[in-house]
Amino acid sequence: MIDLHTHTKNSDGNLTSRELVFYAAEKGIKVLAITDHDTTDGLSEGQKAAKKVGIVFVPGVELNISWPTGEFHLLGLGLKETSSELNAIIQNLKQDRKNRNSKIIEMLQQDGFPISEKELREMFPDSNLGRPHIASFLVSKKICKNTQQAFDKYLGKQRPYYVNREGADLDLAIQAIKTSGGVPVLAHPLSLYISYGKIEPVLINLKERGIQGLEAFHPGARKTDALRLEELARKIGFFVTGGSDFHGEKIHIGRKIGHACGGEKIPERLWFQELLPKI
């Protein structure tokens, strides 16, 4: 089994890098990428743990990109280092995330919610704080039944406490991943909110700008979507990847490490035939 998209406590998962690698080994994962949001802090720990359990480790990152519709997340897979260009982007994204957290917390406080940045940091001392942590905090205060409800009612787009984020410039992010020795991959393309009738020219443009791979297999896609995306990706000339976007058993309930659309295992061919030669 393989998984080329997972998260740890360094962003919004609930396991440390070491814990995630050992958990992956228990579940039969042979190839694992850690792709935390806007940080590479946990990669060294993950690499060391992977050597102990015999997992092929793929150092990665997931960057938030400025885009007019939906959400654009760019994976960098197979990083050899964190270049100065990538580090600059990460620092800017972290500051933007921090500013966004402060605005969300301030809005919640103004409406009487019992939340403070201090309490949030105490609850998640080692995390790169974001909306998932605020959602978990609301669950801990019994304001919401689960994190999904927190997003659906309060924190998601078009909800009362949603604050927009400024993403990184796409072309700079592509270059930063490449200068770090990695390959740029478009994560969960359906989140761009572009219809199938209009997405092909967009993907062609992204390929021309330097994105090399497309994550067709993801829990947010049905199997029919994944196969359609794979066919389109191959037509354009992308290599195809797959990941569970696993954050932990208690986060995004239903997502299993090593599994993607429809709960099916991620096809191993996506690693051996395509990504391996590139990293």
Side-chain angles (χ1 to χ4, degrees):
M1 292 173 65
I2 70 169
D3 200 325
L4 301 175
H5 187 162
T6 67
H7 296 278
T8 76
K9 276 187 174 180
N10 289 287
S11 61
D12 53 350
N14 67 359
L15 300 173
T16 66
S17 295
R18 184 178 185 278
E19 289 169 344
L20 176 61
V21 170
F22 277 75
Y23 176 87
E26 290 175 4
K27 298 298 181 180
I29 302 296
K30 303 300 182 184
V31 180
L32 178 73
I34 287 179
T35 53
D36 280 320
H37 293 285
D38 309 329
T39 183
T40 57
D41 288 350
L43 297 183
S44 178
E45 179 184 327
Q47 181 82 70
K48 291 175 183 176
K51 287 181 180 179
K52 289 184 178 180
V53 295
I55 281 180
V56 176
F57 185 72
V58 182
V61 70
E62 184 173 14
L63 302 176
N64 184 55
I65 302 297
S66 180
W67 191 255
T69 60
E71 289 185 336
F72 192 128
H73 288 176
L74 184 66
L75 297 172
L77 297 179
L79 302 178
K80 306 296 188 298
E81 61 175 336
T82 302
S83 67
S84 58
E85 293 94 335
L86 181 56
N87 185 60
I89 288 173
I90 286 172
Q91 295 310 314
N92 287 337
L93 289 172
K94 282 184 176 180
Q95 185 59 51
D96 179 64
R97 185 186 292 269
K98 184 177 180 181
N99 295 341
R100 182 197 207 192
N101 293 340
S102 296
K103 289 179 183 177
I104 293 172
I105 290 169
E106 182 181 355
M107 291 166 64
L108 287 166
Q109 288 174 336
Q110 288 174 351
D111 286 345
F113 287 82
I115 185 172
S116 71
E117 206 156 337
K118 181 175 180 292
E119 282 184 285
L120 197 63
R121 175 56 65 189
E122 289 173 350
M123 183 176 287
F124 304 103
D126 303 316
S127 298
N128 185 19
L129 295 179
R131 284 185 301 161
H133 302 97
I134 296 173
S136 295
F137 186 90
L138 294 177
V139 173
S140 75
K141 295 293 184 180
K142 301 191 182 334
I143 295 168
C144 299
K145 292 181 180 179
N146 51 53
T147 56
Q148 188 60 54
Q149 185 187 61
F151 274 87
D152 292 343
K153 191 173 182 179
Y154 299 117
L155 302 172
K157 279 196 173 183
Q158 300 181 335
R159 300 278 75 84
Y161 304 103
Y162 177 79
V163 175
N164 194 33
R165 281 191 69 195
E166 291 295 328
D169 176 84
L170 174 60
D171 297 302
L172 293 179
I174 291 171
Q175 182 62 22
I177 288 170
K178 289 184 175 180
T179 59
S180 299
V183 292
V185 176
L186 173 62
H188 39 73
L190 294 182
S191 69
L192 297 179
Y193 291 167
I194 300 174
S195 67
Y196 277 118
K198 297 180 179 180
I199 199 170
E200 184 171 348
V202 174
L203 294 179
I204 290 172
N205 175 259
L206 295 178
K207 178 74 164 54
E208 291 172 346
R209 291 166 75 172
I211 294 181
Q212 297 171 262
L214 184 144
E215 184 185 53
F217 292 83
H218 181 273
R222 295 171 300 180
K223 186 175 181 180
T224 53
D225 293 324
L227 294 174
R228 190 172 182 179
L229 286 168
E230 180 180 16
E231 181 181 8
L232 182 57
R234 297 192 188 288
K235 175 183 175 182
I236 294 170
F238 289 111
F239 67 85
V240 180
T241 72
S244 67
D245 208 347
F246 182 76
H247 288 66
E249 291 183 342
K250 296 181 180 179
I251 303 177
H252 296 303
I253 295 170
R255 291 187 184 179
K256 295 182 185 179
I257 198 163
H259 297 73
C261 43
E264 294 189 11
K265 291 181 181 179
I266 299 163
E268 292 189 1
R269 58 184 169 77
L270 301 181
W271 159 253
F272 294 110
Q273 293 180 6
E274 303 187 59
L275 183 60
L276 181 59
K278 298 180 182 296
I279 66 171

